[in-house]
Amino acid sequence: MWKLSATELIEAYRAGTLSPVDVMRCTLERAAELNPAINALYDIDAEGAMAAAEASAARWKAGAPMGPLDGVPCIVKDSIAVKGMRMLRGLAARHDAGPDAEDSPPAARLREAGAILFAKSTMPDMGFLGSGLSSGHGVTRNPWDLSLNTGGSSAGSAAAVAAGIAPIAIGSDVGGSVRLPASHCGLVALKPTAGVIPHLPYSRDRVAGPITRTVADAVLLMSVLSQPDPEAFEPGAEMPAALAPLDLAGKRIGLLLSVGDGPAVAPEVEALIRGAAEVFRGLGARVEEMPAPLDFPFLRKLSAYFSVKAAGERAALPEDRRGQMLPVLTACCDAGEAMTALDFASAMSTVDKAQRLFARACEGYDFVLAPTMPMANYPAEAAGADPAHPHDHVGFTALLNQSGQPGATLPCGFAGSSPVGLQLIGPAGGDIALLAAAAAFEAAQGAGAAFPALAEAAVPA
């Protein structure tokens, strides 16, 4: 049962060949067996999950499912509020946080659709690292290789889905935080167009997004998450629950292998991205290599922006707890606190210029192919590819948060023991076409629902 996708589970429930009770029991057993090794989950509500599964089974038996995800186990990122569960935001300083009083819009939509929200997932401090390192949760490890990073900040969501603990999860993305861990863990993820998934509190560059093993599950999850919320400022969107693969014949696709700042793409990653481009060519697309859209550094300016946001969050903590975070985040907050308004304005001007040039470079293409990140992976205990500058490896992902464009990550191979993600970028508002193109690539590759050896090897005999 743990190998089945959400789409397959729903089909089995409808046919009466599986019960949500058995699936939830299997899910909890698998979490108990594997979570100690990968440290992906906290606040596992076993009793509540089994009660929800019993109620779901009764609805399916009566032929009256609550919604399109009725009885499907789902994991929610630490930073997304779930009624009755704690939000630590990865911080040791919030160790005694009480349970949230209400669901955030993404969690509310999942619950209304019948999903069983049985656990929260780990993340780095305040979500400001592309890593599974956290003062509050410890180190989250990659199921494909426990010595390697999960990426972040939706670290536990990706690790749990990759290990087969649950078929679907949601995370949030400020600079790549659903796409980076999906790349590390061999999964599918979507950072949707800004405003497509209502969320609170409002942020100009943070969005929620699905993390799944198949494109079909990402589409199904988007059809639920994109529904409007009366309290949120984002409009939502009408998304279908299923999509046929897009006919790519004649589509013009850009191949982007340099943004113009940040680390050069590693040869083994470039080879896999070029191989993915050949898949698109084989499907009839016209693939053209693009020049770097930028000729000036912007990543350190973006890091300055993150530093100011982090400093603001630290300032909201009790004064005697502000030191209870990772040293790299303390340095980040200190830099943000020391920044002058003039320096911040200058940094934001550079970031704005970079996102406009990036969006302009994508114009004229139906889609753009790029690495999700320039290297395959780095050690589990590291704050980033370059721990001294932990945001330097987000050049291919972060500008989409600034421009509002959607970006999907899809597994496209391995470099050593680490999966590598292909990023598929579309125009703002083009989420449906982007997911249909992703489905075409996935079908051509025969990808989806691959599991690491750990997933079976870690289970006691």
Side-chain angles (χ1 to χ4, degrees):
M1 287 179 281
W2 61 264
K3 290 187 176 182
L4 298 177
S5 68
T7 305
E8 291 168 330
L9 286 176
I10 291 297
E11 290 172 354
Y13 296 161
R14 185 173 290 114
T17 56
L18 281 179
S19 164
V21 174
D22 293 333
V23 170
M24 196 65 241
R25 186 176 294 114
C26 173
T27 296
L28 293 170
E29 289 172 354
R30 193 157 184 80
E33 291 163 345
L34 297 184
N35 197 53
I38 60 176
N39 187 35
L41 305 178
Y42 75 102
D43 272 14
I44 300 174
D45 180 15
E47 184 177 347
M50 289 308 302
E54 294 278 3
S56 174
R59 290 191 295 270
W60 280 108
K61 187 175 181 179
M66 179 186 292
L69 293 173
D70 203 346
V72 176
C74 182
I75 291 162
V76 181
K77 184 181 179 182
D78 180 351
S79 60
I80 298 173
V82 174
K83 184 178 180 179
M85 291 184 171
R86 298 174 301 152
M87 184 194 296
L88 305 183
R89 289 190 55 78
L91 289 165
R94 289 177 56 86
H95 65 88
D96 58 352
D100 282 310
E102 58 185 32
D103 288 327
S104 63
R109 299 295 85 75
L110 289 167
R111 203 184 296 277
E112 291 163 3
I116 301 176
L117 311 184
F118 73 98
K120 295 292 290 289
S121 64
T122 57
M123 63 179 268
D125 295 32
M126 301 184 288
F128 284 106
L129 292 177
S131 168
L133 192 62
S134 164
S135 66
H137 299 300
V139 180
T140 301
R141 296 185 178 276
N142 194 316
W144 291 96
D145 183 335
L146 294 178
S147 71
L148 294 179
N149 216 289
T150 57
S153 62
S154 305
S157 289
V161 172
I165 293 176
I168 56 174
I170 57 169
S172 58
D173 193 311
V174 173
S177 290
V178 297
R179 292 161 288 160
L180 295 170
S183 178
H184 283 270
C185 294
L187 301 171
V188 174
L190 175 70
K191 184 214 83 70
T193 295
V196 164
I197 296 180
H199 197 4
L200 290 170
Y202 173 76
S203 169
R204 69 182 290 270
D205 47 21
R206 186 221 54 227
V207 297
I211 299 175
T212 64
R213 294 193 297 268
T214 67
V215 174
D217 276 6
V219 173
L220 177 60
L221 205 47
M222 283 299 298
S223 73
V224 170
L225 295 171
S226 62
Q227 295 176 34
D229 186 279
E231 302 298 324
F233 298 103
E234 293 111 333
E238 188 172 335
M239 302 283 289
L243 282 173
L246 184 68
D247 182 358
L248 291 166
K251 299 295 184 184
R252 187 174 181 229
I253 296 180
L255 175 59
L256 183 65
L257 293 169
S258 173
V259 176
D261 191 21
V265 177
E268 62 273 21
V269 172
E270 180 176 339
L272 289 169
I273 301 304
R274 288 190 181 278
E278 289 304 313
V279 173
F280 280 88
R281 283 196 178 97
L283 293 170
R286 296 181 293 119
V287 181
E288 306 167 11
E289 193 157 341
M290 300 167 59
L294 308 180
D295 60 0
F296 58 90
F298 79 96
L299 281 165
R300 300 291 166 82
K301 302 296 186 182
L302 183 65
S303 186
Y305 167 58
F306 290 153
S307 295
V308 172
K309 290 190 71 171
E313 184 163 345
R314 181 177 68 173
L317 293 171
E319 189 170 355
D320 62 347
R321 295 190 180 187
R322 293 175 189 170
Q324 296 177 24
M325 62 178 64
L326 295 172
V328 66
L329 261 299
T330 293
C332 178
C333 291
D334 289 346
E337 198 170 79
M339 190 174 300
T340 67
L342 289 176
D343 287 342
F344 180 74
S346 174
M348 288 308 299
S349 177
T350 299
V351 172
D352 287 345
K353 179 182 177 183
Q355 69 92 354
R356 290 176 185 274
L357 289 173
F358 184 86
R360 183 184 298 172
C362 296
E363 291 176 358
Y365 295 102
D366 293 290
F367 307 104
V368 171
L369 308 180
T372 304
M373 59 181 184
M375 67 289 298
N377 215 315
Y378 39 88
E381 296 81 7
D386 178 356
H389 301 287
H391 299 130
D392 276 11
H393 68 279
V394 304
F396 286 99
T397 56
L399 284 176
L400 272 68
N401 295 78
Q402 305 300 313
S403 68
Q405 293 167 261
T409 289
L410 306 161
C412 67
F414 283 80
S417 58
S418 180
V420 171
L422 166 73
Q423 187 172 206
L424 183 60
I425 301 166
D431 302 67
I432 294 174
L434 183 72
L435 286 167
F441 175 75
E442 182 183 74
Q445 276 221 134
F451 294 95
L454 167 73
E456 295 190 39
V459 178

